[in-house]
């Protein structure tokens, strides 16, 4: 059995407020899944009936736009909880969650989470704070989409990928997104994203190593992102 008390999700999320008995309850109620790259954890409009803990791997939260494009809202990694807002508001998921790299995910049923919510003040406080932070992040992203140029958003996204997920031994970004996914994050067409990457490459800000991306001038990228 995977030990919930030593799990990274517990250390980094609202679950850290649970006491020993609650952690045992948590461990007995959860189901663990392996999600292959490209597969879904849940789809937009689905009733999730619980929360998902990301134990390992990287996922993307996205929304299908009116023209059928996948707009990536956020990348998530180990230590994070998914589905908490729709569980509290009692609504279907408003985003889809898919694996960008192979993932290990635990599912905790809503009944257990609500039990902790009703009986542990610190847990409910942490959960609400986490939901508020998500909302604030979402507002900031909306503002950035309006106020920043596509070039600024690409520089910012590349830096975020570097800071959040690190790099491989060959200095390329550890999380490899397709050009389409990168376009989806910065809110532009795939072709425009490819052109921008090519421009960044010519300016020696990055180096394109096949499908991989290496950041060559972080200082200049930061200046561009401002």
């Amino acid at each position: 059995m995977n030990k919930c008390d030593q799990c990274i999700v517990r250390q980094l999320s609202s679950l850290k407020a649970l006491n020993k008995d609650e952690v045992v309850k948590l461990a007995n109620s959860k189901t663990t899944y392996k999600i292959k790259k490209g597969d879904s954890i849940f789809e937009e409009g689905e009733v999730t009936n619980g929360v998902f803990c990301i134990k390992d791997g990287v996922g993307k939260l996205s929304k299908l736009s009116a023209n059928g494009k996948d707009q990536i809202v956020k990348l998530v990694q180990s230590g994070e909880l998914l589905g908490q807002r729709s569980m509290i508001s009692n609504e279907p998921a408003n985003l889809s969650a898919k694996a960008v790299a192979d993932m290990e995910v635990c599912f905790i049923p809503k009944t257990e989470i609500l039990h902790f919510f009703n009986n542990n003040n610190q847990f409910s406080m942490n959960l609400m704070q986490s939901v508020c932070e998500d909302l604030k992040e979402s507002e900031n992203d909306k503002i950035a989409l309006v106020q920043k140029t596509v070039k600024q958003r690409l520089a910012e996204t590349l830096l975020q990928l570097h800071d959040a997920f690190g790099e491989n031994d060959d200095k390329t970004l550890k999380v490899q997104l397709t050009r389409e996914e990168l376009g989806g994050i910065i809110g532009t067409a795939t072709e425009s994203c490819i052109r921008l990457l090519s421009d960044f490459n010519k300016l020696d800000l990055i180096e394109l190593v096949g499908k991989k991306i290496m950041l060559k001038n972080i200082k200049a990228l930061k200046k561009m992102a401002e």
Side-chain angles (χ1 to χ4, degrees):
M1 182 176 101
N2 293 326
K3 289 196 168 72
C4 289
D5 59 341
Q6 290 160 14
C7 179
I8 186 164
V9 188
R10 176 151 187 262
Q11 290 155 24
L12 296 177
S13 73
S14 43
L15 296 170
K16 61 177 171 278
L18 301 183
N19 63 39
K20 265 193 176 144
D21 291 345
E22 287 169 330
V23 173
V24 171
K25 215 169 170 356
L26 176 73
N28 290 333
S29 75
K30 74 172 189 344
T31 320
T32 306
Y33 301 97
K34 295 247 194 252
I35 316 268
K36 284 261 167 250
K37 179 179 176 171
D39 287 350
S40 283
I41 303 169
F42 55 81
E43 296 283 352
E44 193 177 329
E46 199 179 301
V47 177
T48 52
N49 277 324
V51 299
F52 294 86
C53 303
I54 302 176
K55 198 166 174 241
D56 198 24
V58 182
K60 62 175 180 180
L61 296 178
S62 60
K63 196 160 189 62
L64 215 54
S65 60
N67 61 2
K69 281 265 183 219
D70 215 16
Q71 174 75 50
I72 297 180
V73 175
K74 190 186 177 191
L75 290 176
V76 288
Q77 60 181 322
S78 58
E80 297 193 55
L81 287 182
L82 298 182
Q84 44 202 9
R85 193 181 64 81
S86 52
M87 186 199 65
I88 291 169
S89 63
N90 231 346
E91 291 170 346
N94 72 327
L95 300 170
S96 295
K98 275 195 178 79
V100 170
D102 288 355
M103 296 177 82
E104 194 174 340
V105 172
C106 294
F107 175 75
I108 307 160
K110 182 177 178 174
T111 46
E112 293 304 326
I113 295 289
L114 289 181
H115 175 80
F116 301 146
F117 193 83
N118 292 327
N119 294 287
N120 182 325
N121 281 344
Q122 193 54 54
F123 173 76
S124 43
M125 193 68 189
N126 287 358
L127 198 60
M128 294 319 281
Q129 265 172 340
S130 163
V131 169
C132 290
E133 274 163 28
D134 283 349
L135 279 172
K136 183 175 145 196
E137 206 175 290
S138 162
E139 289 298 320
N140 288 343
D141 288 345
K142 256 190 220 148
I143 293 163
L145 211 53
V146 176
Q147 292 183 348
K148 290 194 171 185
T149 66
V150 182
K151 198 181 276 186
Q152 283 176 305
R153 295 201 298 268
L154 179 59
E156 191 173 50
T157 300
L158 292 173
L159 290 165
Q160 281 170 351
L161 287 172
H162 185 268
D163 292 348
F165 307 107
E167 51 186 38
N168 297 310
D169 294 339
D170 63 358
K171 297 272 190 268
T172 57
L173 293 176
K174 196 166 249 177
V175 170
Q176 293 304 323
L177 296 176
T178 64
R179 303 305 188 239
E180 196 176 354
E181 284 171 334
L182 257 182
I185 287 181
I186 62 174
T188 190
T190 309
E191 298 73 33
S192 307
C193 181
I194 291 167
R195 267 198 305 275
L196 271 179
L197 286 170
S198 174
D199 292 346
F200 279 24
N201 193 42
K202 283 178 197 142
L203 291 165
D204 231 19
L205 298 170
I206 64 171
E207 190 181 325
L208 300 173
V209 189
K211 293 265 181 243
K212 295 178 175 182
I213 299 171
M214 183 199 297
L215 303 194
K216 285 182 83 177
N217 192 338
I218 286 178
K219 207 171 164 185
L221 282 167
K222 279 183 178 164
K223 206 169 166 75
M224 187 182 273
E226 280 166 9

